[in-house]
């Protein structure tokens, strides 16, 4: 796939207080460079191998690197000091690896499973508060937000997003902490996600053509 021709116009339609993270699994580093030159500076990769190749190819550009896919514990140390944000923390075992190998606190989103039967990744929403409570003692984890994936085919996405917002509000109160960011919304549903309170949207297909 290639970056769509009207990418600059498209970017202007995204509110300026929303962080657009380009989900770049569909493209190579050449297209990513063209995306960067159009004004997109936050890139999100899903897979460790692809990330490492693209990082190497593009490391001279001033990119904010997000890791948005499931991160296997045994691969964590290869990427953990190269990224600026992790969107997919979902186990204490992964947190332990970060604690061990990361040199400075890592901006981290906890991935929450809102739709328990559908998603294999993410902390079940009813366990999220306890999970976050355990995270508070990790010095290398700077909790900045919650992340979720929606069920693609479902027609109650507004409810799914609202559920994450409620969970965030509840945890902020009960643990007396701030969780400023919500990473939710993809190509098909980012407008609803923004309406419900997303701060970070992860867009893939809509940025690219053919
Ligand atoms: C691919 C991907 C996206 C973007 O999905 P699109 O539907 O292509 O916009 C967002 N988040 C994650 C974790 C992804 O893997």
């Amino acid at each position: 796939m290639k970056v769509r021709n009207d990418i600059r116009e498209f970017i202007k339609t995204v509110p300026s207080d929303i962080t657009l993270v380009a989900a770049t699994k569909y493209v190579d580093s050449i297209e990513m460079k063209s995306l960067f030159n159009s004004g997109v500076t936050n890139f999100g990769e899903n897979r460790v191998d692809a990330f490492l190749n693209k990082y190497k190819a593009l490391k001279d550009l001033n990119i904010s690197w997000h890791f948005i896919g499931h991160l296997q514990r045994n691969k964590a140390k290869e990427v953990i000091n190269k990224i600026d944000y992790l969107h997919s923390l979902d186990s204490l075992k992964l947190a332990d690896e970060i604690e061990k190998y990361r040199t400075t606190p890592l901006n981290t989103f906890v991935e929450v499973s809102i739709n328990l039967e559908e998603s294999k990744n993410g902390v079940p929403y009813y366990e999220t508060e306890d999970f976050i409570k355990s995270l508070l003692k990790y010095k290398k984890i700077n909790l900045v937000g919650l992340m979720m994936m929606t069920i693609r085919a479902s027609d109650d996405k507004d409810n799914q997003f609202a559920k994450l917002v409620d969970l965030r509000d509840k945890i902020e109160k009960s643990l007396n902490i701030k969780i400023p960011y919500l990473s939710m919304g993809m190509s098909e549903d980012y407008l609803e996600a923004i309406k419900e309170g997303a701060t970070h949207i992860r867009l893939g297909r809509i940025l690219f053509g053919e």
Side-chain angles (χ1 to χ4, degrees):
M1 289 207 258
K2 291 196 178 316
V3 176
R4 60 192 271 178
N5 293 328
D6 61 346
I7 185 70
R8 284 173 191 273
E9 283 69 43
F10 176 76
I11 293 168
K12 283 187 205 138
T13 67
V14 175
S16 59
D17 57 340
I18 302 292
T19 301
L20 190 175
V21 179
T24 46
K25 60 175 174 275
Y26 307 100
V27 294
D28 59 19
S29 56
I30 296 172
E31 290 305 313
M32 285 167 73
K33 194 162 183 177
S34 134
L35 202 51
F36 181 84
N37 290 333
S38 311
V40 176
T41 56
N42 289 273
F43 289 169
E45 272 294 326
N46 288 72
R47 302 183 62 90
V48 170
D49 298 351
F51 165 76
L52 291 172
N53 286 332
K54 289 165 169 179
Y55 179 84
K56 202 166 148 205
L58 300 173
K59 68 176 178 320
D60 295 339
L61 304 181
N62 194 10
I63 290 169
S64 282
W65 290 100
H66 301 244
F67 199 86
I68 61 176
H70 182 67
L71 181 54
Q72 279 174 280
R73 184 163 45 107
N74 60 351
K75 296 201 171 164
K77 65 172 180 293
E78 301 174 51
V79 305
I80 216 65
N81 283 304
K82 298 185 169 74
I83 59 177
D84 301 293
Y85 293 87
L86 175 67
H87 287 238
S88 52
L89 180 63
D90 64 354
S91 78
L92 290 178
K93 287 187 169 147
L94 178 55
D96 289 339
E97 292 298 287
I98 296 169
E99 191 73 0
K100 193 161 157 197
Y101 293 108
R102 174 82 186 183
T103 52
T104 56
L106 174 63
N107 294 322
T108 303
F109 293 78
V110 168
E111 180 170 354
V112 178
S113 174
I114 290 287
N115 315 291
L116 299 172
E117 29 345 297
E118 290 278 333
S119 52
K120 7 180 209 352
N121 301 326
V123 180
Y125 67 85
Y126 55 82
E127 290 175 8
T128 305
E129 181 172 331
D130 282 345
F131 182 76
I132 288 178
K133 206 188 231 169
S134 316
L135 282 185
L136 297 178
K137 66 172 188 294
Y138 286 74
K139 294 191 177 62
K140 301 293 173 51
I141 291 183
N142 179 31
L143 177 73
V144 295
L146 303 182
M147 179 272 222
M148 70 175 277
M149 307 279 286
T150 39
I151 305 177
R152 282 198 191 279
S154 103
D155 53 11
D156 74 336
K157 286 181 177 168
D158 294 6
N159 291 336
Q160 296 176 45
F161 295 138
K163 213 163 154 183
L164 192 70
V165 175
D166 286 349
L167 181 66
R168 188 269 307 270
D169 294 349
K170 180 172 158 276
I171 295 175
E172 280 192 330
K173 266 210 201 87
S174 58
L175 298 184
N176 194 24
I177 55 173
K178 284 278 168 231
I179 307 177
Y181 298 150
L182 293 172
S183 170
M184 58 187 196
M186 309 193 287
S187 293
E188 322 193 299
D189 53 24
Y190 72 98
L191 291 173
E192 287 113 296
I194 290 173
K195 226 185 291 160
E196 296 293 336
T199 60
H200 291 61
I201 53 175
R202 306 180 311 273
L203 301 185
R205 286 165 298 160
I206 201 167
L207 303 177
F208 309 111
E210 72 208 68

